[in-house]
Amino acid sequence: MNISHINNAYENIKSTCENRLNELYPHKIPKAAMDRLEKELEYLQNSDYIDDFEIARLLYEESRKSSQYLITRGTLSGSYIFHLISTSLTNPLPPHYICPNCGETKIIDSKLFGIDYPERKCPVCNSPMISDGYNISVESVWGNDGKKSISFDYNTSREFYPFVKRLLQRIYPENSIVPYGMLYVSETQSSVDMNLCGYIILSKGQTIDDYPDLQGYLENGELCISGNLMDIEENNMKRILLYDSNVLNAIVSMQRCTGIYISSITPHELQDITWKNIANVNIIEPEFFSKLKYIKPQTKTELINLMCSFHSTYSCCPVDPVKKSPDWEKMLNSPEFRKYPCYSRDDVFDILLSLDFPRNKAFETSELIRKGKAFWPKYHDIFEPLNIPDDLFDVFKTIHYLFPRAHSCEYILTYSILAYYLKTDSKSYSKIIKQFI
């Protein structure tokens, strides 16, 4: 690929992470935080993702300057490096209390995520402690050896696109930056259009005219590059994938209307956001809305688990989750699932660790489970030597695919921010949201 590496990318990332740690923990950096960062930096230094993390760092720096907002998709938000270089509220460390006054830290031994714990007094200085942490393992992002494939895809508001293009032009001044288009079916399903979904960095000396077989036209008539990731890589291009999100468009509009910066909203301020607040934003998927109304989750942990189950696939679930299904209800309420709740692939990993599986074996096995291997009898010989309890394997056999916890955390926290704006100014919200539904 004739696209230069970014100068000092690794050093910039490491420096930003260390500076951010000192901001978060001015008195004493917790051992868990330092150990996690050192492990991820080791993986990063030996990976092909240094430039991608540096682009992410610069994108979030640009979003702060322009008061815009973006979130990542997939497992990337489970990276502690990503948490430190971005504005993501998804802290992957184990649930914990931290005292901002003296730095005292206390790990919380519970299945609830940190956001669900009330403020408590510090045992050292009696100041209010805050809680955080979603218990997302380093393996979920990097794998056992740091070689796991990582995707860098973003949801953002349409207002942020021009800032992204100018940023890429500054990073790669010798390369052409051209629009990337993806085909999509219109809401009426009456036409197929080409939507702007980010930008392509071409090899040095190349222009869009050099790729006639990959050319397309956006809705506004602008020439773009289209094609799948394999097409992009085979032609020595680099793709920055952006999805125009109505949820994020609404958040940015509410920021402008209320004068409350998105970046100023803290996890503590989102603690009181309930499932009902989220249901009232009127912009979530209808199927997820129906699950919210049926389950009525009482904590963020339950909300995140519900989001995971919404995107996961089980053999006993109906094709149409909008309909109330005795099979789905039976699964959630079965003694086996209650004992071993597997909403996400991370749950499988955590359960196997609790059964004293070595970490590397727990991750390898959880990867097989989350891809649906336990469902198929032809793979059962793989699991037989592992001595998995029968009732747990009964749950595993219902799984076709499991969603990552990190993605669900990012989405629930984003919905919570939108609900926070709704609670703050419901009259303005009711006017603004009509543009996006």
Side-chain angles (χ1 to χ4, degrees):
M1 181 182 295
N2 194 15
I3 298 175
S4 300
H5 289 297
I6 303 172
N7 290 335
N8 302 315
Y10 176 79
E11 291 76 14
N12 293 339
I13 295 164
K14 182 180 179 183
S15 175
T16 300
C17 289
E18 291 171 345
N19 291 338
R20 182 61 178 151
L21 272 188
N22 287 320
E23 289 175 11
L24 291 171
Y25 310 108
H27 305 282
K28 181 173 60 178
I29 297 175
K31 184 177 185 300
M34 185 56 72
D35 288 350
R36 177 65 177 260
L37 176 59
E38 288 177 351
K39 173 56 72 175
E40 289 205 29
L41 286 174
E42 175 190 335
Y43 284 155
L44 176 62
Q45 194 168 26
N46 294 294
S47 77
D48 295 325
Y49 297 115
I50 296 176
D51 286 346
D52 297 291
F53 271 94
E54 175 65 352
I55 290 171
R57 185 186 74 83
L58 293 170
L59 281 173
Y60 278 92
E61 188 177 276
E62 197 71 18
S63 75
R64 293 186 191 95
K65 289 193 296 184
S66 57
S67 295
Q68 292 294 315
Y69 191 54
L70 74 158
I71 63 172
T72 187
R73 302 158 65 93
T75 61
L76 179 58
S77 59
S79 161
Y80 196 50
I81 289 177
F82 182 81
H83 176 65
L84 295 175
I85 65 175
S86 72
T87 57
S88 171
L89 299 179
T90 304
N91 185 337
L93 295 181
H96 61 278
Y97 278 105
I98 181 74
C99 176
N101 185 54
C102 73
E104 179 68 15
T105 307
K106 179 176 175 56
I107 298 295
I108 304 169
D109 185 15
S110 171
K111 293 183 178 179
L112 290 177
F113 302 136
I115 195 171
D116 285 326
Y117 287 87
E119 190 177 274
R120 62 175 289 181
K121 296 293 184 180
C122 176
V124 175
C125 68
N126 206 39
S127 298
M129 300 182 83
I130 56 176
S131 55
D132 202 358
Y134 292 89
N135 196 35
I136 302 169
S137 70
V138 67
E139 289 90 347
S140 72
V141 184
W142 296 94
N144 276 330
D145 55 4
K147 304 298 183 183
K148 188 171 179 284
S149 177
I150 304 175
S151 61
F152 291 77
D153 307 335
Y154 305 92
N155 284 358
T156 187
S157 70
R158 63 177 64 97
E159 292 182 14
F160 192 50
Y161 281 60
F163 295 96
V164 174
K165 184 176 182 180
R166 289 180 64 84
L167 172 64
L168 294 175
Q169 288 170 336
R170 292 198 299 271
I171 298 173
Y172 299 102
E174 299 179 3
N175 301 76
S176 293
I177 310 298
V178 301
Y180 176 60
M182 290 181 67
L183 293 173
Y184 75 102
V185 180
S186 66
E187 291 184 4
T188 61
Q189 297 189 340
S190 59
S191 64
V192 177
D193 299 310
M194 188 77 75
N195 199 19
L196 176 62
C197 282
Y199 296 96
I200 297 291
I201 305 158
L202 302 181
S203 292
K204 290 180 183 178
Q206 300 294 297
T207 71
I208 197 169
D209 293 331
D210 294 311
Y211 305 96
D213 293 341
L214 295 179
Q215 289 180 6
Y217 290 91
L218 300 176
E219 290 177 287
N220 64 1
E222 185 177 7
L223 194 61
C224 69
I225 289 290
S226 182
N228 58 36
L229 183 57
M230 186 178 297
D231 294 328
I232 301 304
E233 292 178 344
E234 284 180 353
N235 285 277
N236 299 314
M237 306 170 180
K238 188 174 183 65
R239 182 178 69 175
I240 307 299
L241 192 56
L242 305 170
Y243 292 94
D244 180 8
S245 164
N246 278 338
V247 174
L248 272 63
N249 283 317
I251 286 175
V252 171
S253 295
M254 285 303 296
Q255 173 186 241
R256 188 182 302 111
C257 178
T258 61
I260 300 172
Y261 287 111
I262 304 163
S263 58
S264 70
I265 302 172
T266 66
H268 179 71
E269 291 175 299
L270 300 180
Q271 281 184 313
D272 295 333
I273 298 297
T274 67
W275 75 268
K276 189 64 176 177
N277 298 138
I278 291 176
N280 284 336
V281 299
N282 291 333
I283 202 172
I284 61 177
E285 301 95 328
E287 296 89 348
F288 184 60
F289 177 76
S290 77
K291 281 195 173 186
L292 274 179
K293 289 178 64 178
Y294 173 68
I295 299 294
K296 297 180 175 62
Q298 298 303 302
T299 64
K300 291 292 191 304
T301 302
E302 291 179 2
L303 270 166
I304 290 165
N305 287 340
L306 186 64
M307 174 64 80
C308 285
S309 73
F310 169 63
H311 287 286
S312 297
T313 308
Y314 305 89
S315 60
C316 55
C317 287
V319 174
D320 183 4
V322 176
K323 299 175 182 177
K324 289 186 177 179
S325 166
D327 289 340
W328 183 66
E329 295 169 22
K330 181 180 178 181
M331 181 194 76
L332 292 180
N333 293 310
S334 70
E336 295 83 7
F337 198 88
R338 285 181 174 274
K339 184 177 180 181
Y340 300 112
C342 294
Y343 297 101
S344 70
R345 60 188 69 170
D346 306 76
D347 292 327
V348 174
F349 179 69
D350 292 341
I351 289 169
L352 294 175
L353 286 181
S354 73
L355 296 176
D356 295 325
F357 272 58
R359 287 191 73 93
N360 62 341
K361 197 64 180 177
F363 179 72
E364 289 173 5
T365 306
S366 67
E367 284 290 279
L368 295 173
I369 301 296
R370 67 100 169 171
K371 295 175 182 176
K373 300 296 186 184
F375 173 77
W376 299 100
K378 65 180 180 180
Y379 294 108
H380 286 186
D381 288 346
I382 299 174
F383 299 102
E384 190 172 345
L386 302 179
N387 296 317
I388 297 171
D390 290 342
D391 49 357
L392 174 58
F393 199 67
D394 285 341
V395 175
F396 289 167
K397 287 189 292 186
T398 69
I399 295 167
H400 285 226
Y401 170 77
L402 285 179
F403 210 58
R405 182 183 296 162
H407 187 118
S408 295
C409 290
E410 201 80 344
Y411 271 52
I412 290 299
L413 291 171
T414 300
Y415 281 137
S416 298
I417 290 171
L418 188 56
Y420 176 87
Y421 278 118
L422 168 59
K423 288 184 68 176
T424 301
D425 189 345
S426 58
K427 290 183 178 180
S428 295
Y429 186 88
S430 66
K431 296 177 183 177
I432 286 172
I433 199 64
K434 292 176 183 177
Q435 306 170 46
F436 306 113
I437 57 176

